[in-house]
Amino acid sequence: MDQLIQLPGVARKKQQILFFLTHLRKIEGIAVDTHVKRLSERLGLSQNKDPEKIEQDLMRQLDRKEWGRFSYLLIEHGRKICDAKKPKCLECVLPKLCLQRRSFYPET
């Protein structure tokens, strides 16, 4: 783990995603990028702003075997559906879990 992080451009988030996608090693945490951070707040999974604290909050709520997949799914959902400024709430599969949907689409 430490050797991978020493490469230029590789931080903890990228390392965890690489581990998940390539099955190189057991996942040791949850990759928290801007999408995971935003969705964790919108879904009420964490109220923290610090990525390391968000990671700890999420790890307490999920089975270890789900960490990699969960992170990857949140990142993809954040990229494709739950945009920071203009989320596509009407296309979202998590409307009942989202605490902020009504602020974007009050009529729903």
Side-chain angles (χ1 to χ4, degrees):
M1 180 166 159
D2 294 332
Q3 293 171 338
L4 189 58
I5 288 180
Q6 292 173 2
L7 294 172
V10 177
R12 184 168 172 78
K13 179 194 85 159
K14 190 173 286 185
Q15 169 199 347
Q16 293 300 334
I17 295 298
L18 286 171
F19 285 168
F20 171 68
L21 293 175
T22 62
H23 307 285
L24 285 175
R25 283 184 61 178
K26 187 186 286 189
I27 302 294
E28 296 182 13
I30 295 176
V32 178
D33 71 345
T34 185
H35 306 295
V36 174
K37 181 178 177 182
R38 179 176 64 253
L39 269 70
S40 294
E41 181 179 350
R42 286 184 179 173
L43 297 174
L45 301 172
S46 178
Q47 299 306 311
N48 284 300
K49 304 294 182 200
D50 178 79
E52 290 182 19
K53 290 181 181 178
I54 294 169
E55 179 183 28
Q56 294 300 314
D57 289 343
L58 296 175
M59 289 189 315
R60 280 192 292 273
Q61 297 174 62
L62 299 165
D63 288 333
R64 185 182 189 109
K65 64 182 180 180
E66 298 297 330
W67 291 354
R69 186 168 189 258
F70 181 81
S71 181
Y72 182 76
L73 289 172
L74 279 191
I75 291 168
E76 287 302 305
H77 188 72
R79 287 178 178 164
K80 296 178 180 171
I81 303 295
C82 197
D83 183 74
K85 295 182 181 177
K86 196 170 182 180
K88 300 173 186 171
C89 297
L90 300 178
E91 296 177 36
C92 182
V93 296
L94 306 169
K96 293 180 180 177
L97 301 176
C98 185
L99 303 177
Q100 297 181 359
R101 179 183 173 123
R102 292 198 189 271
S103 64
F104 294 106
Y105 291 91
E107 67 281 354
T108 60

